[in-house]
Amino acid sequence: MTQEDRRTGRDESDEERADRMWGELIQEVRVAQTGVQILFGFLLTVVFTPKYDQLEHANQILYVVTVVLGATATGALIGPVSLHRLVSGRSVKPRAVRWASRLTFVGLVLLLATMTAALLLVLRVATQDAYVPWLVAGVVTWYLLCWFVLPLWARQRDTTR
């Protein structure tokens, strides 16, 4: 068994590993893409409702920021598909997988920002209570735990043995 086999835990070539990782990445991206596209679609409709004109200026700015964040998250999460299509057949799959993985990570961070801003906007409009920042902070903490802390803890714990 080579050092590479021990590192990956599989007997596969670099190309086979890239193919497997690409398939896994695309499955992950599909989940995130669906969520961000639905959220982004709903955000786009808000400006056309009568209630939008009644929003305080600060909430209108928050809405614009939320839409821009949603657009950038959508771009980053669709980016791996475009990357794959444009480099397919060019013998660069291992590098393409690394770039697609980075785009996906950026997309998840932007999705976190979008969801945070959207939650803040909705709760500010729905209620004027002082506990809104605490609710948003609690939800963001939950997202951070689920999306980043737990996976990083598991990675660190299981790869140092």
Side-chain angles (χ1 to χ4, degrees), residues 108-128:
L108 289 174
V109 170
L110 289 167
L111 178 57
L112 173 66
T114 304
M115 292 178 70
T116 301
L119 182 61
L120 181 61
L121 178 62
V122 167
L123 292 177
R124 283 176 55 133
V125 171
T127 178
Q128 298 299 320

Side-chain angles (χ1 to χ4, degrees), residues 10-78:
R10 297 172 187 260
D11 185 20
E12 56 189 8
S13 69
D14 287 343
E15 287 298 318
E16 290 168 332
R17 184 169 191 256
D19 288 341
R20 178 180 54 80
M21 291 179 70
W22 182 260
E24 292 172 0
L25 180 66
I26 287 302
Q27 290 300 334
E28 295 163 4
V29 167
R30 283 186 181 127
V31 172
Q33 275 180 349
T34 301
V36 76
Q37 287 172 329
I38 290 169
L39 176 59
F40 186 55
F42 281 122
L43 285 171
L44 291 177
T45 66
V46 170
V47 75
F48 299 106
T49 65
K51 180 117 180 167
Y52 180 80
D53 290 333
Q54 299 169 8
L55 288 179
E56 297 174 6
H57 183 67
N59 287 338
Q60 288 180 344
I61 291 172
L62 181 55
Y63 168 76
V64 170
V65 168
T66 305
V67 168
V68 170
L69 285 169
T72 57
T74 300
L77 290 170
I78 292 174

